[in-house]
Amino acid sequence: ELSVPLAHGKYIVFVDSDDSLSCTALEQLYIQAEKRQSDIVLGTLLRCYSDGRKIRMGEKVSVFTTDNTVLSGQDCFKRLIDTGCYVPMVCGNLYRTEFICKNDLHFGAYYHEDEYFTPYALFYAQRVSYFDKDFYFYRQRIDSIMHRTDNLKKRAESLSFAGNELISFIKEQTIGIDAKVRRAFREQGKHLCQRSQHLYEKELSISSRRCLLIFSEESIASQ
């Protein structure tokens, strides 16, 4: 859970335990947020590998075309999805604490909690800006949670939950939502469900347990 009541600062930044920030990151993000009056300042990530390689992740210059660009969260989400720039990770971004509290934003899934949090954050955000500097160093480990195979079923369940919740949420929003924005949120929900299915099938493919497959007349009649 996101323990916002424990946060006393004006802004919140998330950093995973094995990652790091540049020494000027927080100051630069703060300046950007104050200058643009942002609910969210989006950033990029540097994937850092043990062999010294660094790969940039989440560049958004095709969406934020100038340093002064400020978008509503819903328009930002649609554009990120359309351009393939969407990165759900909360690390590398800055959030205004009051904004998080006002909209009761929280992590609602045990795994892939970013996939649950980020669409809602962008749905409610009034002002989103972008900080186009490398400041978050995302350490890549072969034994990390996202590389293990002993948690595939639980990860699949979390993705399915997040996807179905998002589909239900956007369906309930009946007033004032642009059709293209609605479609972007709905398609993201479906995408999460598809990823869930893929993980569950991977779990079945590597499992040593026996599986019972039941074929009924109803299930094969259309084939």
Side-chain angles (χ1 to χ4, degrees):
E1 284 298 322
L2 183 59
S3 298
V4 172
L6 299 180
H8 300 289
K10 187 174 182 180
Y11 298 100
I12 289 177
V13 170
F14 300 94
V15 185
D16 282 348
S17 58
D18 53 354
D19 298 338
S20 60
L21 299 172
S22 72
C23 59
T24 60
L26 297 182
E27 178 184 8
Q28 292 173 320
L29 288 169
Y30 175 83
I31 292 172
Q32 171 75 344
E34 290 287 295
K35 188 175 182 179
R36 308 296 176 212
Q37 293 298 292
S38 306
D39 292 321
I40 304 174
V41 178
L42 299 176
T44 61
L45 305 166
L46 274 183
R47 289 179 176 266
C48 301
Y49 296 85
S50 57
D51 61 4
R53 288 181 297 133
K54 291 182 174 63
I55 300 177
R56 203 176 202 213
M57 172 184 174
E59 185 175 283
K60 303 172 182 68
V61 292
S62 59
V63 173
F64 294 87
T65 52
T66 71
D67 291 339
N68 299 321
T69 300
V70 177
L71 302 172
S72 72
Q74 293 180 19
D75 187 33
C76 178
F77 183 82
K78 178 182 69 67
R79 294 189 188 198
L80 291 173
I81 293 293
D82 289 345
T83 57
C85 297
Y86 177 67
V87 176
M89 293 179 64
V90 298
C91 295
N93 305 326
L94 177 142
Y95 302 85
R96 189 161 55 86
T97 306
E98 183 183 3
F99 159 72
I100 289 180
C101 295
K102 177 182 176 181
N103 295 288
D104 191 28
L105 298 175
H106 59 279
F107 296 130
Y110 187 79
Y111 288 100
H112 298 283
E113 62 274 13
D114 310 67
E115 299 281 12
Y116 182 95
F117 179 91
T118 300
Y120 298 100
L122 289 172
F123 181 88
Y124 288 115
Q126 297 298 311
R127 296 178 62 83
V128 181
S129 60
Y130 175 49
F131 182 66
D132 188 24
K133 297 288 190 301
D134 295 330
F135 66 90
Y136 190 97
F137 307 108
Y138 179 28
R139 184 183 174 200
Q140 301 297 293
R141 297 185 293 109
I142 59 174
D143 59 342
S144 69
I145 290 176
M146 292 298 107
H147 288 95
R148 286 162 46 187
T149 58
D150 61 347
N151 59 6
L152 294 178
K153 184 178 178 181
K154 290 183 178 180
R155 285 175 56 196
E157 291 170 349
S158 291
L159 284 173
S160 177
F161 173 76
N164 284 303
E165 285 285 301
L166 186 57
I167 292 171
S168 297
F169 170 80
I170 200 62
K171 186 178 181 180
E172 294 169 357
Q173 311 307 309
T174 58
I175 301 175
I177 308 299
D178 181 88
K180 293 181 179 179
V181 170
R182 186 183 300 279
R183 183 173 64 249
F185 278 89
R186 184 173 62 249
E187 292 304 312
Q188 177 62 16
K190 291 180 179 179
H191 173 65
L192 295 179
C193 291
Q194 290 170 352
R195 286 177 56 196
S196 168
Q197 181 68 23
H198 174 73
L199 284 181
Y200 189 66
E201 290 174 356
K202 185 176 180 180
E203 161 73 12
L204 291 178
S205 71
I206 64 176
S207 175
S208 59
R209 299 172 62 187
R210 293 184 176 184
C211 295
L212 174 64
L213 302 180
I214 301 176
F215 295 92
S216 67
E217 181 179 350
E218 290 79 6
S219 69
I220 63 173
S222 62
Q223 303 298 317

